[in-house]
Amino acid sequence: MTKRRNFIKSGLALGVVVAANPLKSCAESIEKEEEATFQERKPVVLSTWRFGIEANEEAWKVLGESGSALDAVERGVKLVEADPNERSVGYGGRPDRDGRVTLDACIMDHNANIGSVASLEHIKHPVSVARAVMEQTPHVMLVGDGALQFALEQGFPKENLLTPESEAEWKEWLVNSEYKPIVNIENHDTIGMIALDEHGNLSGACTTSGMAFKMHGRVGDSPIIGAGLYVDNEVGAATATGHGEEVIRVVGAHLVVHLMRQGKSPQAACKEAVELIKHKLELRNGNLEETQIGFIALNKKGEHGAYALNKGFNYAVKDAEGNTLEDAESLRH
Ligand code: ASP
C-alpha cells in the first residue's frame, strides 16, 4: 500500500499528471488518488502475532470470495483455536494455576452486535460460542459454567483441552508455584483479528487462554468489548494483546477507535493508547520492562497501524497484494 501511494506521489512529482493549474490540480489529484487508493484497499485483514499469517490466509478464504468480515474473523481465529501447538489460545492453551484450561473470547460486527464468553472450559471454539451468544441470546456475555451450559445446549462438543504438553508445563510450574503471570514473552499469545470486507464493513474477533497459570476465574481484556476488541463501522477497529489488566484499565481497544474517530491515523491512535498505559503504569510504579501491550488497528479506508510498549510485538497484514508479518514500533526498545 505504502509502495503504491509513494508511486502515485512520485508519479505526480515527475509530472506524470499534467494540468493547467499544476499546483492546485496536483494537490487535489494526490488527495483523490490517495482516497481512491485507500478505497481500493479492501478487503484487508490484520491479526496479532506470527500465527496471524496462517489465520489471515484462512480468513481470506471468506474475504476473497466476497464474504463478510464477520465470517472471516471467526473462521480465521478458529484455525489458531484448534491448533494444539499454539499454547495460548484454545485447544492446547496453557491452564490456570489449578490445571484448568479456561478460555476467553469475543466477537463484534459492523452493526455493533457483540458476543462474548469468559472463563469457558471444555469447548474448543470459544469464538463461535461468543458468536452464538451474540446471535442466539438477548445478552452479550456469558461466563464460566453458564457459558459452558449454553455451549452444550447449542451443540458444541465437550472436550478435554489440556494437552500433554501444556499439562507438563503446568506441572513444572507447580514445583515453585510462583504466581507471576507472564505475557507475550514467546510471541504466541492472544489472537486478535480485525477485517474490512469488500462491502466496506468491519468486524473483529479476539480469543485466548489468557495468562498462563493465572488464578482460576481471572478474566483478561480479550473477552471484554472495548478493552480487547472494538469495532465502529463508521471509523475503524482495534484489538489488543498483552497484559490484560493494563488494557482494561484504559479500555484500550475502544480508546484506539475513539482516537481514530477524532482524526488520528491507526498508527498514531495505537501509539497514544500505549503512551497512556505507560503513563498509568508509571503512576503506579509498575514494571515497564515486564509488561507488554500491543495494539493493532484498521480504519475504514483500509489503512492500518500497530504499536507496542516493548519491542517484540509483531502482527500479520493481508490484502490482495500479499500477507506480511510486520514488526510493530514500540515505546521502549
Ligand atoms: N491479553 C491476554 C490476557 O490478558 C493475554 C495476551 O494477549 O497475552 O489474558
Side-chain angles (χ1 to χ4, degrees):
M1 179 53 45
T2 316
K3 271 187 243 146
R4 260 193 296 177
R5 202 162 60 238
N6 288 343
F7 171 77
I8 290 164
K9 279 184 176 166
S10 45
L12 288 166
L14 289 168
V16 171
V17 176
V18 182
N21 182 349
L23 276 182
K24 187 162 175 269
S25 307
C26 269
E28 277 171 2
S29 301
I30 289 172
E31 261 168 40
K32 277 191 192 134
E33 290 284 6
E34 288 201 339
E35 188 67 16
T37 310
F38 287 130
Q39 278 175 0
E40 273 170 30
R41 205 204 186 193
K42 60 185 188 193
V44 52
V45 56
L46 245 71
S47 313
T48 53
W49 302 112
R50 175 200 44 74
F51 47 35
I53 288 282
E54 291 87 38
N56 283 356
E57 288 300 336
E58 190 68 13
W60 199 260
K61 291 178 186 165
V62 177
L63 293 173
E65 298 290 322
S66 306
S68 74
L70 179 66
D71 289 341
V73 294
E74 182 189 8
R75 181 160 173 176
V77 302
K78 277 177 78 172
L79 187 83
V80 183
E81 286 183 339
D83 187 344
N85 298 317
E86 298 300 357
R87 309 275 275 286
S88 53
V89 178
Y91 175 52
R94 294 188 184 88
D96 64 20
R97 66 181 185 178
D98 298 344
R100 297 162 73 163
V101 180
T102 61
L103 304 176
D104 295 341
C106 72
I107 193 158
M108 183 162 189
D109 76 6
H110 61 289
N111 285 323
N113 290 310
I114 52 178
S116 158
V117 288
S119 219
L120 173 63
E121 293 180 78
H122 306 302
I123 304 290
K124 196 180 268 177
H125 290 300
V127 73
S128 297
V129 184
R131 183 163 178 178
V133 170
M134 175 171 97
E135 292 176 343
Q136 310 295 337
T137 81
H139 308 302
V140 298
M141 189 170 197
L142 291 176
V143 303
D145 287 347
L148 176 60
Q149 188 187 331
F150 169 71
L152 297 175
E153 281 165 13
Q154 289 289 311
F156 289 89
K158 187 170 183 180
E159 295 175 72
N160 172 27
L161 303 182
L162 186 64
T163 55
E165 290 76 15
S166 281
E167 188 172 10
E169 273 192 42
W170 170 61
K171 289 200 167 138
E172 208 176 294
W173 174 83
L174 276 180
V175 175
N176 293 323
S177 299
E178 192 190 357
Y179 193 65
K180 191 184 175 196
I182 293 176
V183 290
N184 292 0
I185 305 298
E186 294 161 289
N187 281 11
H188 48 67
D189 290 67
T190 300
I191 180 150
M193 177 181 275
I194 45 184
L196 176 66
D197 65 28
E198 194 180 288
H199 318 286
N201 287 324
L202 290 154
S203 288
C206 188
T207 175
T208 189
S209 52
M211 286 176 171
F213 320 129
K214 62 195 176 186
M215 287 173 72
H216 181 65
R218 178 265 183 189
V219 174
D221 59 318
S222 307
I224 298 180
I225 296 291
L229 175 75
Y230 198 70
V231 177
D232 181 333
N233 205 45
E234 291 170 300
V235 178
T239 187
T241 181
H243 210 110
E245 283 73 4
E246 303 310 316
V247 177
I248 293 171
R249 219 179 294 284
V250 302
V251 201
H254 182 268
L255 174 61
V256 172
V257 174
H258 178 69
L259 290 165
M260 290 196 286
R261 181 176 274 282
Q262 290 180 333
K264 293 244 158 33
S265 69
Q267 177 78 11
C270 291
K271 184 176 181 198
E272 196 167 322
V274 172
E275 279 167 349
L276 182 65
I277 287 176
K278 178 169 175 273
H279 174 65
K280 296 290 181 198
L281 267 165
E282 282 166 346
L283 289 178
R284 294 175 8 261
N285 289 322
N287 188 334
L288 290 182
E289 204 172 324
E290 288 190 6
T291 306
Q292 176 62 307
I293 303 292
F295 288 107
I296 57 173
L298 180 65
N299 69 15
K300 194 74 181 162
K301 293 190 249 173
E303 294 173 289
H304 74 271
Y307 216 83
L309 178 58
N310 281 294
K311 199 165 178 261
F313 172 48
N314 51 23
Y315 62 103
V317 187
K318 173 149 180 68
D319 64 10
E321 291 183 358
N323 190 12
T324 53
L325 191 65
E326 301 190 6
D327 288 323
E329 285 181 33
S330 56
L331 279 184
R332 292 165 44 85
H333 300 283

